[in-house]
């Protein structure tokens, strides 16, 4: 099963998340692509939409290898299996983490200059992405949300690798995944259309007026 695009994936997730209507949930996109998925969920729930900014710590490819992720506030989470597998030295890890933090700082400047962060303390947060291949970015985001004292975390992804589902499900209050695969080499392989999402498109989603709850096509 392949999804037509991120919007269709978001619509299908929204069908599973309709019980959250009336729960004062906030929907956060994890990455620009995740924001497109999150926008469809927010429409169905009638919930505020925002982005949770993180940055991947990557070793040069091809293809690039994800070694960890950084979150707002400087938090870093590492994929220790990948680090051991590629035998990355400590000094190189520090350099790559610093690069990721610098890139994240530029993202924060670009988004937070015009978009006020949604109030999430004490509320249910739906954290949505377009897929989870390693789970490292989602793990970082979950730790950021816990530090911000949210009441409940619902992780929603269209597709994920099976061992990632098992691991992340223990970290959140609810995990909704439409398709679980024994091996997920690239999230984009699960979509017929998977274009890069430009910052301008992401900002348009974040600046749009909140919508009343809508029904999704079945």
């Amino acid at each position: 099963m392949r999804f037509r695009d991120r919007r269709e994936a978001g619509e299908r997730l929204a069908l599973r998340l309709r019980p959250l209507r009336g729960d004062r949930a906030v929907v956060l996109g994890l990455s620009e692509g995740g924001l497109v998925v999150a926008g469809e969920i927010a429409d169905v729930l009638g919930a505020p939409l925002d982005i949770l900014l993180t940055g991947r710590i990557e070793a040069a490819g091809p293809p690039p290898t994800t070694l960890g992720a950084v979150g707002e506030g400087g938090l870093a989470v590492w994929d220790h299996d990948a680090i051991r597998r590629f035998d990355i030295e400590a000094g190189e890890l520090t350099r790559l983490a610093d690069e990721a933090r610098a890139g994240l700082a530029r993202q924060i400047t670009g988004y937070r200059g015009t978009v006020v962060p949604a109030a999430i303390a004490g509320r249910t947060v739906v954290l949505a992405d377009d897929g989870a291949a390693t789970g490292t970015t989602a793990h970082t985001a979950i730790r950021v949300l816990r530090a911000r004292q949210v009441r409940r975390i619902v992780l929603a992804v269209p597709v994920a690798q099976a061992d990632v589902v098992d691991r992340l499900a223990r970290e959140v209050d609810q995990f909704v995944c439409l398709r679980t695969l024994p091996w997920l080499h690239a999230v984009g392989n699960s979509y017929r259309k998977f274009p890069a999402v430009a910052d301008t498109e992401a900002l348009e989603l974040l600046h749009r007026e909140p919508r009343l709850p809508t029904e999704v096509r079945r």
Side-chain angles (χ1 to χ4, degrees):
M1 177 187 70
R2 296 173 76 198
F3 302 100
R4 182 183 68 247
D5 55 20
R6 292 182 180 93
R7 293 188 184 280
E8 186 211 17
E11 289 176 352
R12 295 182 62 178
L13 282 169
L15 280 171
R16 299 274 295 275
L17 294 167
R18 284 184 300 179
L20 293 177
R21 283 180 175 177
D23 200 28
R24 296 185 62 250
V26 177
V27 184
L28 302 182
L30 182 54
S31 78
E32 288 82 357
L35 188 63
V36 178
V37 175
E40 302 300 316
I41 297 169
D43 283 352
V44 170
L45 300 183
L49 176 67
D50 199 1
I51 190 169
L52 183 60
L53 296 168
T54 60
R56 291 187 182 187
I57 303 171
E58 291 185 328
T65 301
T66 299
L67 303 173
V70 293
E72 293 183 67
L75 175 71
V77 175
W78 297 97
D79 183 336
H80 295 287
D81 289 339
I83 292 169
R84 284 191 294 268
R85 188 163 62 250
F86 292 94
D87 193 24
I88 311 283
E89 295 183 355
E92 179 66 1
L93 292 176
T94 298
R95 185 186 69 81
L96 293 172
D98 288 343
E99 284 185 359
R101 289 191 177 98
L104 178 60
R106 289 191 294 271
Q107 273 192 302
I108 292 170
T109 299
Y111 280 97
R112 295 310 179 198
T114 59
V115 179
V116 178
I120 59 175
R123 299 178 71 170
T124 294
V125 169
V126 178
L127 181 64
D129 206 353
D130 49 23
T134 67
T136 304
T137 304
H139 179 58
T140 305
I142 291 163
R143 289 184 60 180
V144 169
L145 292 176
R146 293 295 185 200
R148 294 184 182 177
Q149 300 181 323
V150 303
R151 181 173 68 87
R152 188 164 175 258
I153 300 174
V154 179
L155 181 60
V157 296
V159 60
Q161 188 167 297
D163 63 339
V164 172
V165 172
D166 293 340
R167 184 171 73 251
L168 292 178
R170 295 192 291 268
E171 301 181 21
V172 296
D173 301 284
Q174 182 181 351
F175 191 1
V176 177
C177 180
L178 301 177
R179 186 186 184 203
T180 302
L181 298 174
W183 176 249
L184 181 60
H185 177 67
V187 169
N189 292 340
S190 293
Y191 292 82
R192 293 197 293 273
K193 297 179 181 178
F194 196 71
V197 178
D199 289 343
T200 52
E201 181 181 351
L203 285 168
E204 285 176 5
L205 283 167
L206 292 171
H207 281 294
R208 73 185 188 185
E209 291 295 322
R211 302 182 183 181
L212 295 174
T214 60
E215 287 298 332
V216 68
R217 298 186 301 273
R218 292 183 178 274

